[in-house]
Amino acid sequence: MLAAALTFLLVSPVVADTLVTDNYTIKIQVNCPEGNVTCDDVSYHGTSHKSGEQLSLKGKTISKTCADGVTPCQFLGYQFKNGNTIYKVLESGQLLVEQNGKTLVDESGAWSYQ
């Protein structure tokens, strides 16, 4: 039983990265096995530098598709939904928060990879 648990941990490591912008720190945790092109099990844990408020969400990776319109070709970042609010954390270091088509937050930051 222990061997099976250790094998699972070796096969499916958790990847956690942190994006820090002027106003937020966002920790992203990818809960899919390494090597998956896409993942529908990503965690977002954001903290406001001003208020200290925290928000945790579940989401997925987002990718640009290949010419066939189906196959993912380029990783773009992550997307999380909270009601009608969409949070995007992009590989470029951009945090976008949109609600009903209006941009609420558009900040760039730096990634800290662990």
Side-chain angles (χ1 to χ4, degrees):
M1 184 70 162
L2 179 59
L6 290 174
T7 300
F8 176 77
L9 289 174
L10 292 174
V11 171
S12 58
V14 171
V15 177
D17 300 318
T18 303
L19 177 67
V20 179
T21 70
D22 287 342
N23 294 300
Y24 301 95
T25 296
I26 299 106
K27 183 175 182 179
I28 302 293
Q29 183 172 315
V30 178
N31 302 305
C32 293
E34 187 174 348
N36 281 15
V37 177
T38 62
C39 180
D40 289 333
D41 187 9
V42 181
S43 301
Y44 169 111
H45 184 77
T47 303
S48 167
H49 297 169
K50 292 179 182 177
S51 68
E53 287 187 35
Q54 298 183 359
L55 176 65
S56 294
L57 301 168
K58 292 288 187 182
K60 63 182 181 177
T61 57
I62 51 175
S63 300
K64 181 178 178 180
T65 56
C66 296
D68 67 8
V70 177
T71 308
C73 278
Q74 179 185 3
F75 172 76
L76 298 175
Y78 310 94
Q79 180 174 292
F80 308 88
K81 292 183 180 179
N82 185 15
N84 59 355
T85 305
I86 298 172
Y87 296 74
K88 290 183 183 175
V89 181
L90 304 179
E91 183 180 37
S92 63
Q94 186 176 16
L95 169 64
L96 287 170
V97 181
E98 300 171 333
Q99 186 176 62
N100 298 325
K102 292 184 180 181
T103 301
L104 304 178
V105 175
D106 184 352
E107 295 187 11
S108 292
W111 283 104
S112 169
Y113 299 100
Q114 302 168 0

